[in-house]
Amino acid sequence: MSQRSCLSVILAAGEGTRMKSALPKVLHQIAGLPMVAHVVKAADAAGASSDAIVIGHGAEEMRKAVAKFSPKAETFVQEERLGTAHAVLAAREAISRGYDDILVMFGDTPLIDAEALNLARLKLAEGAAVAVIGFRTPLPNGYGRLVEKGGKLIAIREEKDCSEAEKKICFCNAGMMAVAGAHALKLLDAVGNKNAKGEYYLTDIVEIAGAQGLDVVATEASFENALGINNRAELAQAEGIWQARRRQEAMLSGVTLIAPETVYFSHDTEIGADTIVEPNVWFGPGVKIAGGAKIRAFSHIEGATIAANCDVGPFARLRPGADLRNKAKVGNFCEVKQAVIEEGAKVNHLTYIGDARVGAAANIGAGTITCNYDGYSKFFTDIGEGAFVGSNSSLVAPVSIGKGGYIASGSVITESVPDDALAFGRARQKTIPGKGKELRERFASAAAAKKKVAGADH
């Protein structure tokens, strides 16, 4: 297989009106990645060296999205929507370059995997001109049936055209297929539009190839692999299937998920063995976690790197750029953004650390914040190794706390603190005996007068 060149042609021109969205259907996301990008990943994993994506609705938006997740992919516009064969031929330029195998796929089937595609390609390597991917279901109503005879596929029959015997067939068309590059354009050009809709149907190439004496076969994939997305309910169903697959994969690779059904991964989440993930944790894109970490309940993590044996949460938020080094701790109700928390440092509770470095073994007290933004620009806070920042302190960036520095609780620090120095940044306390009672009486009297006036108005 590795010796055979392969082009994937991915049809992504549909408007997706049932999604009821201004966003092109195939750009709706599964696990933080557009549906069509999942299809491209599967094709590439199956050995496609080139990708041709046929677009239509929202063409410019599609081009921009494709450039992000597949910079090498080519896009081709289907100007008119005249059927699936017509859509494939929009990529004629790419198909004509002489690939051994052509994979025809759909941008709204995000759960297709490389194994199913490789099986279809294998049939081409064994001599078939066309290999159609199908699935079996005990409830085939509404699906096109794959009609076989003598181990060969002789037709794809739409349900409305099926005989009574054919309606009982449970082997159904998934829509995707592999076509030998040597025959692809000849077969596609032979497709006509003499049907009720006047459209060019890709499925017709099965009978066309058979009539030319070419071998056509069907391969079987799971129902999940073939699941197409037409509305948001099906999008949620596909998300659930994807998440279940990923959770199973994580657990089999040595990750403990205490309540698997409550943990949500992104398409690129990396998580090492012996990590423990408590319930209700959400991983956004760009998260890398080394082994032995503990991610406690109700944490939200995105764009973060977590080293070995770190402790995060519960109720922690790690935003993009958070970089936790070995044995660092970020505790409950803390937020870290664009900051390095070095080895053994502790940010235990009720704290915001943004645009900062917290040195090794430093301790950040409850309620501490780095004041990193003045409404126009971001500024950096550097906290040295072994520093201690007392509770309820505000560090007004740009500022640095030296190695071993000590910040008294309740301080507002606006100037840098040298190594091993103690810094206070708060007003001196003043106590006035009896003043508390006087204030209470004054406030009570004012409240009573206000209530009396309000009653008179009514």
Side-chain angles (χ1 to χ4, degrees):
M1 292 292 291
S2 61
Q3 303 302 313
R4 296 177 64 87
S5 60
C6 180
L7 167 73
S8 74
V9 178
I10 299 170
L11 307 187
E15 294 183 14
T17 53
R18 281 180 281 176
M19 296 295 286
K20 301 188 184 304
S21 174
L23 185 70
K25 178 172 72 169
V26 298
L27 294 186
H28 285 265
Q29 296 186 346
I30 302 288
L33 190 69
M35 284 193 280
V36 65
H38 284 276
V39 180
V40 170
K41 285 180 68 175
D44 292 351
S49 55
S50 301
D51 302 302
I53 303 178
V54 178
I55 61 176
H57 172 62
E60 191 55 38
E61 192 171 5
M62 283 290 298
R63 283 195 184 95
K64 289 179 181 178
V66 169
K68 290 180 180 178
F69 65 75
S70 184
K72 295 181 180 179
E74 293 182 90
T75 55
F76 298 88
V77 178
Q78 184 187 16
E79 299 290 354
E80 297 179 89
R81 297 186 62 194
L82 300 178
T84 47
H86 179 263
V88 176
L89 281 171
R92 179 187 292 273
E93 179 186 340
I95 297 170
S96 66
R97 292 173 189 154
Y99 293 93
D100 295 312
D101 302 338
I102 309 294
L103 285 172
V104 180
M105 307 165 71
F106 291 84
D108 61 358
T109 55
L111 301 177
I112 187 64
D113 62 25
E115 184 178 350
L117 299 173
N118 271 325
L119 181 57
R121 288 193 65 200
L122 179 62
K123 295 300 181 183
L124 299 188
E126 292 173 350
V130 181
V132 175
I133 299 175
F135 63 94
R136 296 188 187 276
T137 174
L139 300 171
N141 293 348
Y143 296 110
R145 309 302 204 276
L146 298 184
V147 183
E148 295 178 293
K149 184 176 181 181
K152 303 295 183 184
L153 183 65
I154 61 173
I156 300 176
R157 198 87 73 213
E158 294 303 316
E159 186 172 56
K160 60 183 171 54
D161 299 322
C162 286
S163 66
E164 288 304 312
E166 289 170 343
K167 286 181 179 179
K168 296 178 182 178
I169 296 173
C170 293
F171 196 18
C172 300
N173 180 31
M176 295 164 281
M177 62 177 67
V179 183
H183 302 292
L185 288 178
K186 184 179 178 181
L187 293 173
L188 289 164
D189 285 332
V191 174
N193 67 341
K194 292 181 180 180
N195 52 62
K197 289 188 176 180
E199 293 186 351
Y200 299 86
Y201 296 131
L202 178 64
T203 51
D204 287 352
I205 73 169
V206 169
E207 293 183 68
I208 292 169
Q212 294 178 6
L214 300 172
D215 282 344
V216 182
V217 298
T219 63
E220 185 175 343
S222 69
F223 175 79
E224 291 180 353
N225 271 308
L227 185 65
I229 309 303
N230 294 301
N231 55 52
R232 293 179 194 256
E234 292 171 349
L235 184 70
Q237 180 186 2
E239 178 79 40
I241 293 169
W242 190 96
Q243 292 293 342
R245 287 179 177 179
R246 184 66 184 89
R247 293 165 188 149
Q248 181 77 356
E249 178 185 313
M251 290 186 288
L252 293 178
S253 66
V255 176
T256 295
L257 305 180
I258 293 174
E261 69 281 1
T262 69
V263 176
Y264 288 82
F265 292 105
S266 278
H267 65 98
D268 59 352
T269 304
E270 298 179 19
I271 184 165
D274 289 323
T275 292
I276 298 173
V277 183
E278 293 183 355
N280 298 295
V281 173
W282 190 87
F283 296 105
V287 174
K288 297 182 179 181
I289 304 174
K294 187 161 190 175
I295 312 299
R296 299 179 186 271
F298 293 97
S299 292
H300 186 289
I301 302 171
E302 179 178 4
T305 301
I306 301 172
N309 304 307
C310 287
D311 195 332
V312 176
F315 295 95
R317 185 180 182 195
L318 301 184
R319 291 170 58 193
D323 183 356
L324 278 57
R325 304 292 169 81
N326 191 41
K327 296 183 179 180
K329 181 174 182 181
V330 174
N332 52 288
F333 302 102
C334 291
E335 180 176 339
V336 177
K337 187 271 302 184
Q338 203 63 46
V340 176
I341 312 299
E342 293 190 347
E343 183 172 356
K346 296 178 180 179
V347 183
N348 275 320
H349 26 233
L350 302 162
T351 293
Y352 170 69
I353 302 293
D355 297 285
R357 178 188 75 95
V358 177
N363 186 88
I364 308 300
T368 294
I369 61 171
T370 56
C371 306
N372 58 326
Y373 185 50
D374 65 0
Y376 298 93
S377 302
K378 298 289 181 72
F379 298 95
F380 191 76
T381 298
D382 189 77
I383 300 170
E385 178 183 346
F388 179 92
V389 179
S391 298
N392 200 35
S393 293
S394 296
L395 309 179
V396 183
V399 71
S400 64
I401 310 300
K403 179 179 178 180
Y406 195 109
I407 306 302
S409 296
S411 292
V412 177
I413 300 300
T414 58
E415 298 178 3
S416 292
V417 178
D419 292 356
D420 296 317
L422 168 64
F424 289 82
R426 61 193 185 204
R428 183 178 297 277
Q429 179 175 322
K430 183 177 181 180
T431 303
I432 304 176
K435 191 68 176 179
K437 180 180 179 182
E438 177 188 327
L439 288 175
R440 281 195 303 274
E441 291 172 348
R442 184 197 308 170
F443 295 154
S445 177
K450 186 176 180 180
K451 186 176 182 179
K452 184 175 180 181
V453 170
D457 288 343
H458 287 291

